[in-house]
Amino acid sequence: MRATRRLGSVLSLLIALLATAMVMGLLAAGLLIPAVGGAGLATNKSIDLFNGLPSTFAMNPLAQQSRILAADGSTIATPFNENRIVVPLNKVAPIMQKAQVAIEDERFFQHGGIDPKGLLRALTSNAQGGGVQGASTLTQQYVKVSLQNEALSSGNTTAARNAVAREGLQGYVRKLQELKYATALEQKYSKDQILDGYLNLVYYGDQQYGIEAAAEHYFSVPASKLNLPQAALLAGVVNQPTAYDPVNNPNDSKARRNIVLQKMYQQKIITFKQYSDASVSPISLKLKNISGNCASSKYPYFCNYVENWLSQQPSLGKTVKARQAALESGGLTIKTSFQPKMAAILDAKLRARVPSNNKYGINDAAAMIKPGTGQIIATGQNTSYSTTAGLGKSGINLANSGFTFGSSTKFFQIVTALERNASPDMTIDVAPQTAKNADNELGTSFRYADFQGPCYQNARGSFVIGNDFVVPTGKMTYARATAWSVNTAFTKLTEDVGMCNVVDTMVKLGLNRKDLQITPASVVLGVGLTSPIGLASAYATAAAGGMYCPPRPVDSMIDGNGKKLAISVGKCKRVMSQQVAAETTQIFRAVLNPDDHKATGYKAALANNRPAAGKTGTVSGANNIWFVGYTPQLATAVWVGHGSGSDRPLRNVPINGQKIGSGNYIFAGDLAAPMWKDIMDAALKGQPIKQFPTVPGMNTGTDTPSSGPSSPSSSSTSTQISVPNVVGQDINSAIATLQAAGFHVQVGPNRPGPQPRGQITAMSASGGSASQGTTIFIYPSSG
């Protein structure tokens, strides 16, 4: 009984196919199928069943590879889950079009989606055997593959299986629906549009989807340049992409190619000579492998950085998952600011100073930023990309990883002071180093209570800050203290301007507050975390005249239809005045003074006296060393340390077989500074030498510290006058006294002190002298 019912259902469906073909006028004139007329009521029901099937079918956009491009248009990576490049039909060689039609559906341009001759032949064969086989027109094949592709893209594996079902009742139902969609498709689209869709959709083996990707992969030519043997080979692959894959099954692929050529000859598409010559020609592959994985990119670290950045772009989708899907299937064109020539310079100079295979596991990294734009020009590091551990290998993008940044933090303290009306020739009190820290090293003791503010509350005890060499006590200009990187002077400066104000400056210049350790010693010594990209961006602000631009790797995004997509990135904004930016640069130029060998960055002085400013950064114990600097055209941060995240000191370590520096530790000025010079000299070679801007009212005299630590400063061109002591006065009286003496006044945060609440308990430059117009900081007592 079951077999009888099954046979009845099958016959009913078979009759429906024939009847529908007749009703639609698709059978050739004179073709008689008496069984249709004799089927009676069953036939009518089958026709009703067919007519009741869904008929709406659209040629949906295809998943295709995206492209991440460098600034020069070269390819960084092609993310995809299906390697497909959609091209219009006029970009496919005519011989390729003819070859595909010849082997798949020779009457494609004559039928209306259903081929009656093929259908009759298939019905005659399949009525006696298994599932529905053969008879598929090219239009039907397009429908089948398109439905399967759409189901797989949405994760519906059941629908994907049903779309290609061949056996039993499900196979006949699938064929019915396929026929209905095919006829609807032919009524809505032209033959060329259907052929276009087919050639771009189908799988050509070896992970290549669509004719353009296949042509590029197998023969390294676009589809428009395919010749006869190549076209016949690719046309033959579609039937069984694995069996006829020319890379893995060349003999079977060649045999299939020759069948296609024979079909083309029989259909009078090619001559006998063309057929004969092409049939004996060898399969000449010229493979081009394109990976959708950043790991295989020439620039894997930057590629990963771009992909992570894109995952935060709302225009690519509402969720990270949707954005990733858009990147892998949306045919996006991502134009980055990355310059391969600059990346090559970084790679060469970083590896020259610190070879990737050094047995100490020392790494280095660098990032370049274009001031005033936020554009990341290049990143680099001395490792090879790998997800497995090994000497000279890393899967971590060190240019975007957080490290303690040492004395490069002094940039933020100087900016904070200048914003509070300090001047470059103002002095800092350097106290005697008479206390000892936990390591029994001499330094200066400071009270925690003097650094209180809204970001930090600790009124108990004291801490000791030391210097890397013996520093003379007394007055020292900002420029000299910066050039010599005097920690005790900057601790006093941080106390004067308010530690929380320094933290605020760090944040507005791009550092993440969550990554900062907010204690006096940490802020002064740069114990928080930031990356080469982050520091280069911060310093670029001064180069850009006070405009901070959040770092970004992408200049433009275009979808698969050529529509420009919005880029979500923070806008450039003014975070310091032009005068503060210019005076900051004036101070930090002293770090690179080649005549002052006490200046920590004198080895970074650029060729041809090119103006530059910057700062070394040596973390306590030389765990990380830095040089961050800039010219008007370019800002670059260089980092050296252990990328594994360990805090091993750079101590007693020969680099390239040579000892670096004069002591046991490797200081930033010994390695990071000359590395920065190597990079910048090469990157700026041939570019015009630009001067930093000055602004009206700016003191353009530069401090040029001599090599002796006790030499007096000769930079000040202003008259030095005594600073009245206003400790014990109320705020208004103190301001009036100092202004009458010719000074500007800045009221700092309250501090604990013996004076009654509201009276001044501390001040900068107390009992000393300063230039007229200098800002004096006063601190009211909290009682």
Side-chain angles (χ1 to χ4, degrees), residues 21-86:
M22 290 181 64
V23 169
M24 294 184 173
L26 300 176
L27 290 179
L31 182 63
L32 301 177
I33 307 179
V36 174
L41 185 60
T43 303
N44 292 331
K45 288 182 177 180
S46 298
I47 294 173
D48 291 340
L49 170 65
F50 182 85
N51 290 334
L53 292 172
S55 61
T56 302
F57 186 88
M59 299 178 72
N60 294 316
L62 295 173
Q64 58 178 316
Q65 65 168 231
S66 294
R67 297 184 302 153
I68 299 176
L69 305 178
D72 62 3
S74 61
T75 300
I76 292 174
T78 54
F80 60 80
N81 51 30
E82 290 183 357
N83 186 30
R84 177 185 287 111
I85 305 170
V86 175

Side-chain angles (χ1 to χ4, degrees), residues 211-227 230 286 288:
I211 189 59
E212 181 73 6
E216 291 282 0
H217 171 65
Y218 291 119
F219 304 113
S220 295
V221 298
S224 62
K225 300 295 183 182
L226 290 168
N227 59 31
Q230 293 168 341
K286 190 177 180 181
K288 181 193 292 183

Side-chain angles (χ1 to χ4, degrees), residues 117-452:
K117 291 183 180 179
L119 182 60
L120 178 59
R121 183 181 65 251
L123 289 174
T124 302
S125 171
N126 287 298
Q128 302 172 1
V132 178
Q133 303 274 337
S136 289
T137 64
L138 188 144
T139 308
Q140 290 172 249
Q141 291 178 50
Y142 173 81
V143 168
K144 177 178 68 176
V145 178
S146 184
L147 289 172
Q148 181 190 33
N149 186 70
E150 187 176 347
L152 289 173
S153 298
S154 63
N156 191 337
T157 55
T158 300
R161 284 195 301 271
N162 292 342
V164 293
R166 299 175 66 86
E167 301 296 333
L169 188 61
Q170 185 60 52
Y172 289 104
V173 172
R174 189 267 297 175
K175 179 61 71 175
L176 276 173
Q177 181 64 80
E178 192 178 285
L179 286 167
K180 186 68 178 289
Y181 279 146
T183 56
L185 198 66
E186 292 265 2
Q187 292 172 7
K188 186 175 181 180
Y189 298 102
S190 70
K191 292 288 187 179
D192 279 354
Q193 287 176 308
I194 295 170
L195 180 58
D196 178 304
Y198 181 88
L199 289 168
N200 280 299
L201 172 66
V202 293
Y203 180 50
Y204 284 92
D206 209 27
Q207 306 306 309
Q208 308 305 310
Y209 294 81
I211 189 59
E212 181 73 6
E216 291 282 0
H217 171 65
Y218 291 119
F219 304 113
S220 295
V221 298
S224 62
K225 300 295 183 182
L226 290 168
N227 59 31
L228 174 59
Q230 293 168 341
L233 181 101
L234 293 180
V237 170
V238 175
N239 182 258
Q240 294 185 52
T242 301
Y244 299 138
D245 170 3
V247 175
N248 299 299
N249 297 300
N251 293 333
D252 291 341
S253 180
K254 184 176 182 179
R256 176 67 175 172
R257 179 200 69 179
N258 289 350
I259 291 174
V260 176
L261 290 169
Q262 185 179 35
K263 284 276 189 181
M264 295 177 76
Y265 171 64
Q266 291 171 349
Q267 296 169 33
K268 298 181 180 180
I269 296 171
I270 59 176
T271 66
F272 179 77
K273 185 178 188 310
Q274 287 176 310
Y275 163 64
S276 179
D277 291 346
S279 295
V280 297
S281 66
I283 294 180
S284 300
L285 300 180
K286 190 177 180 181
L287 293 176
K288 181 193 292 183
N289 289 311
I290 301 174
S291 175
N293 192 324
C294 278
S296 63
S297 169
K298 186 177 180 180
Y299 311 104
Y301 301 108
F302 185 78
C303 178
N304 278 330
Y305 180 81
V306 171
E307 287 199 346
N308 290 334
W309 188 88
L310 291 171
S311 71
Q312 305 303 315
Q313 292 299 303
S315 62
L316 298 184
K318 293 182 179 180
T319 65
V320 171
K321 185 177 180 180
R323 295 162 194 162
Q324 186 66 30
L327 179 62
E328 293 180 347
S329 63
L332 307 177
T333 299
I334 310 295
K335 185 72 175 290
T336 73
S337 53
F338 188 82
Q339 296 183 16
K341 289 183 179 179
M342 292 298 190
I345 289 172
L346 287 184
D347 186 71
K349 302 304 181 183
L350 289 172
R351 293 173 186 269
R353 291 276 180 177
V354 183
S356 62
N357 61 348
N358 69 88
K359 66 180 181 180
Y360 301 99
I362 299 175
N363 302 131
D364 57 16
M368 285 182 175
I369 299 287
K370 184 177 180 181
T373 67
Q375 292 175 319
I376 301 173
I377 300 302
T379 61
Q381 59 193 71
N382 71 336
T383 62
S384 298
Y385 185 84
S386 175
T387 55
T388 59
L391 197 63
K393 298 179 180 180
S394 178
I396 301 171
N397 179 5
L398 300 178
N400 192 45
S401 297
F403 303 102
T404 49
F405 49 103
S407 286
S408 56
T409 188
K410 291 177 171 60
F411 179 83
F412 306 105
Q413 294 153 338
I414 288 293
V415 169
T416 306
L418 293 174
E419 286 183 325
R420 282 153 181 77
N421 298 318
S423 60
D425 60 353
M426 186 172 174
T427 60
I428 310 173
D429 286 321
V430 180
Q433 298 182 67
T434 57
K436 288 187 177 182
N437 61 18
D439 296 323
N440 204 35
E441 297 170 337
L442 282 176
T444 302
S445 180
F446 296 88
R447 296 192 313 158
Y448 282 112
D450 294 334
F451 294 83
Q452 288 193 118

